[in-house]
Amino acid sequence: MRLEKFLLQSHSTVKEAYEAIEHSQMGLCLLIDENGKFIRTITDGDLRRLIIKCGESSVLLDSLDPIQPLWANRKEGVSKLLEIMKEHDIQHIPILDDDFKPIDVVLRKNIESPPVLLSSPHMGENEINFIHDAFETNWIAPLGPNVENFELEFAKKIQSPHALALSSGTAALHLALVVLGVTSGDIVFCSSLTFVASANPILYQGATPVFIDSEPETWNMCPSALERALKHYGKMGKLPKAVMIINLYGQSANMDALVKICDQYEVPIIEDAAESLGAQYKGRPSGTFGKLGIYSFNGNKIITTSGGGMLVSEDEDLINHARFLSTQAKDPANYYLHSKIGYNYRMSNILAGVGRGQLIVLDDRIHSRRTIFNKYVSAFKEMNIFDWMPEPEGYFSTRWLSCGVLQNFNGDIELKLNSFIRRGIEVRRIWKPLHTQPLFKDCDYFEHEKGNSISDAIFAKGLCLPSGSNLTSEGQDKVINQIKSLL
Ligand SMILES: Cc1ncc(COP(=O)(O)O)c(C=O)c1O
């Protein structure tokens, strides 16, 4: 549906208006003036009344009876649009830009039906049984058999010897920094293209983040930019206390190259695998390459405990230290004795039950997300709309989210995004790089190449499409059709 094909001026005939209405497939066309400004909506009912009044279909639209037109500004949210349509008992509303020109038409049925979500929780059959066990045994606490077993089962799944279940991925990142001794005045390198939760814990510790660009091959940390940054800070005698490598959208970073560089400078790696549980790099699970790795079970992740996280390491001492800190750092004594700052970061036994059930279906969830991604790829193949997030040889992405950068698109991406939302489709932009966030405006940034910031380019035209493992085939068809018509 192309808007310009059902915009008409007053000198058009009723016959032309009927053709435009048929073209819109919405039972309406829009009347505009010679400057493109909106005058009114025309339905086939309006045309019928006009023919009855004037008796022929060659009559011009300027003979329509004047009405008070209904419209909404492009800045209105969907709830306001629905409110207007309900109040006036109408099924569609034109959307105008600030110059009063039509840019879209919203159908009531699109915003009244449940939206197609980006990535919603997808429960299996076993979660409820583990929760039931917790209730039966009254283990309603941040410890208990589900927590212990979730840690063991998770560690086995990702082939890491030690795992600690926590209240969030952010808590896991925070403890990773604490046990590596990151403190006030330290520097921590961090991928720029990520969610703010990756870098916030650096600030909790009073340390300073330095951001590293992505490489085009993986969208994850660029090895050459990392090397340049290490050289630069090494020369000043101020090497970072840790390098935080983020594995975005279900895909590992280039770990061979990154580990080699970090080893050379003897800087430990924290691997933020919040978004990449189940991904692999050269057959090894994502999240197990660093000194410490973290995962998130937030509601939108590939498996969820509603909220939760996991810290993993081959180093038992680090995990034991984090375990101690995660429960208020209680020193061994028969009373409450504390000599260190502690945190309340443990996962509850009920949520760990959800996690155990979810872990059972992880492989199915990966399969579904990859299938969804492949369907998008084949649906848009001919149209060349997207440059998809690459999956190089030797990488196995879970395709947690189907992400791509728009090709040949020079419009306003925010406006496009609003058009999706108005059609009941939750499309999101790629993370806004952290070096461009006001919060980090004073932090250093090392780009891929001089004058070529990959993370900025990906952000500028990058979109994440609905990718939940419970996305129905009809839901995905709706997304595909809308993208085809809007782009
Ligand atoms: C890359 C990344 N790191 C860290 C986090 C934080 O995880 P959580 O929400 O469990 O605290 C998230 C997501 O939420 C994330 O996407």
Side-chain angles (χ1 to χ4, degrees):
M1 173 273 282
R2 290 210 154 270
L3 190 66
E4 58 273 25
K5 294 209 170 156
F6 57 97
L7 297 180
L8 294 172
Q9 291 190 19
S10 306
H11 53 70
S12 307
T13 62
V14 166
K15 188 162 171 283
E16 285 166 328
Y18 269 125
E19 282 162 12
I21 287 178
E22 196 171 323
H23 200 89
S24 78
Q25 297 173 351
M26 290 191 290
L28 61 84
C29 61
L30 304 182
L31 193 64
I32 53 172
D33 69 13
E34 61 284 4
N35 297 315
K37 292 184 195 291
F38 177 70
I39 300 176
R40 60 168 287 172
T41 301
I42 303 174
T43 63
D44 48 9
D46 295 324
L47 297 180
R48 244 181 290 121
R49 282 187 286 278
L50 186 58
I51 292 177
I52 291 167
K53 190 171 97 181
C54 304
E56 49 174 315
S57 65
S58 59
V59 66
L60 301 186
L61 299 179
D62 57 7
S63 308
L64 280 163
D65 289 336
I67 55 163
Q68 187 63 37
L70 286 169
W71 54 274
N73 182 271
R74 67 186 173 94
K75 295 193 190 98
E76 298 293 4
V78 279
S79 49
K80 180 70 186 170
L81 301 182
L82 191 57
E83 192 186 308
I84 301 172
M85 286 191 271
K86 278 184 175 164
E87 188 188 331
H88 296 276
D89 194 23
I90 51 174
Q91 301 305 315
H92 33 62
I93 186 158
I95 306 296
L96 309 187
D97 67 12
D98 295 337
D99 293 329
F100 228 64
K101 292 180 180 165
I103 52 165
D104 202 357
V105 176
V106 172
L107 298 187
R108 183 162 162 182
K109 69 169 192 235
N110 273 343
I111 51 177
E112 259 180 348
S113 53
V116 182
L117 298 173
L118 185 74
S119 176
S120 63
H122 185 183
M123 291 297 111
E125 290 170 4
N126 293 292
E127 293 81 347
I128 199 75
N129 299 329
F130 291 117
I131 295 173
H132 189 70
D133 288 349
F135 273 72
E136 282 285 291
T137 53
N138 205 27
W139 274 110
I140 315 293
L143 75 173
N146 277 338
V147 178
E148 282 162 32
N149 285 317
F150 186 35
E151 287 173 351
L152 292 173
E153 288 153 7
F154 189 89
K156 191 164 168 223
K157 184 80 190 164
I158 57 138
Q159 300 158 35
S160 175
H162 309 289
L164 174 67
L166 296 165
S167 54
S168 68
T170 311
L173 283 170
H174 187 197
L175 289 183
L177 293 168
V178 177
V179 297
L180 287 180
V182 173
T183 181
S184 178
D186 285 337
I187 287 170
V188 175
F189 286 4
C190 179
S191 310
S192 184
L193 191 60
T194 183
F195 181 45
V196 70
S198 302
N200 269 337
I202 301 173
L203 301 185
Y204 300 166
Q205 286 307 100
T208 304
V210 167
F211 294 108
I212 312 292
D213 197 5
S214 301
E215 57 170 0
E217 293 82 358
T218 62
W219 292 17
N220 285 315
M221 189 181 277
C222 168
S224 62
L226 171 67
E227 194 161 25
R228 247 181 294 121
L230 283 167
K231 214 178 259 173
H232 177 83
Y233 275 87
K235 264 193 207 150
M236 299 194 295
K238 193 94 183 87
L239 280 173
K241 209 58 176 282
V243 173
M244 198 185 281
I245 298 173
I246 289 70
N247 300 314
L248 273 185
Y249 298 125
Q251 173 154 284
S252 171
N254 178 354
M255 294 316 291
D256 276 353
L258 295 169
V259 168
K260 193 167 159 219
I261 298 164
C262 289
D263 282 353
Q264 201 182 321
Y265 284 86
E266 298 181 354
V267 182
I269 292 172
I270 298 171
E271 218 185 331
D272 178 347
E275 301 178 2
S276 65
L277 172 60
Q280 291 173 18
Y281 174 79
K282 298 193 176 170
R284 187 167 152 187
S286 177
T288 62
F289 289 81
K291 191 81 182 150
L292 293 136
I294 78 99
Y295 301 86
S296 164
F297 310 117
N298 193 9
N300 62 4
K301 296 296 183 292
I302 196 153
I303 61 169
T304 181
T305 58
S306 76
M310 195 72 81
L311 180 66
V312 302
S313 179
E314 280 186 5
D315 188 329
E316 189 173 10
D317 290 344
L318 288 180
I319 293 295
N320 283 342
H321 187 194
R323 193 179 297 277
F324 162 76
L325 297 173
S326 69
T327 46
Q328 305 290 15
K330 185 172 176 292
D331 291 332
N334 285 336
Y335 47 93
Y336 291 98
L337 180 66
H338 304 275
S339 50
K340 293 226 163 68
I341 298 176
Y343 308 90
N344 182 7
Y345 276 173
R346 278 298 253 165
M347 179 181 278
S348 93
N349 194 54
I350 297 171
L351 298 190
V354 181
R356 293 182 72 189
Q358 286 274 278
L359 205 53
I360 295 170
V361 293
L362 173 61
D363 292 341
D364 289 344
R365 302 299 184 250
I366 295 170
H367 178 73
S368 304
R369 296 211 183 224
R370 286 183 64 90
T371 306
I372 286 166
F373 174 75
N374 289 333
K375 184 166 168 178
Y376 282 131
V377 173
S378 52
F380 300 123
K381 206 170 180 171
E382 314 278 86
M383 297 176 72
N384 287 332
I385 298 180
F386 290 104
D387 264 335
W388 299 107
M389 183 180 189
E391 186 187 31
E393 181 94 30
Y395 292 70
F396 176 81
S397 168
T398 64
R399 297 293 180 186
W400 169 57
L401 295 184
S402 293
C403 304
V405 173
L406 290 172
Q407 293 179 6
N408 313 317
F409 176 79
N410 295 315
D412 182 331
I413 195 157
E414 280 295 308
L415 287 183
K416 254 324 139 202
L417 209 67
N418 289 342
S419 316
F420 288 118
I421 292 166
R422 288 195 292 259
R423 280 160 180 77
I425 295 171
E426 195 186 9
V427 174
R428 288 268 176 93
R429 291 186 70 175
I430 297 290
W431 299 126
K432 179 169 166 56
L434 296 187
H435 72 272
T436 66
Q437 299 283 0
L439 177 63
F440 299 114
K441 67 178 187 326
D442 297 326
C443 296
D444 264 2
Y445 173 55
F446 288 80
E447 55 193 0
H448 172 64
E449 293 164 338
K450 202 166 174 0
N452 182 15
S453 172
I454 300 298
S455 62
D456 283 293
I458 294 172
F459 169 68
K461 293 186 186 180
L463 294 177
C464 309
L465 307 185
S467 312
S469 47
N470 50 3
L471 176 62
T472 61
S473 187
E474 298 76 55
Q476 193 176 6
D477 288 342
K478 177 176 172 187
V479 177
I480 290 169
N481 291 334
Q482 295 291 359
I483 290 177
K484 280 185 174 171
S485 77
L486 283 169
L487 295 171

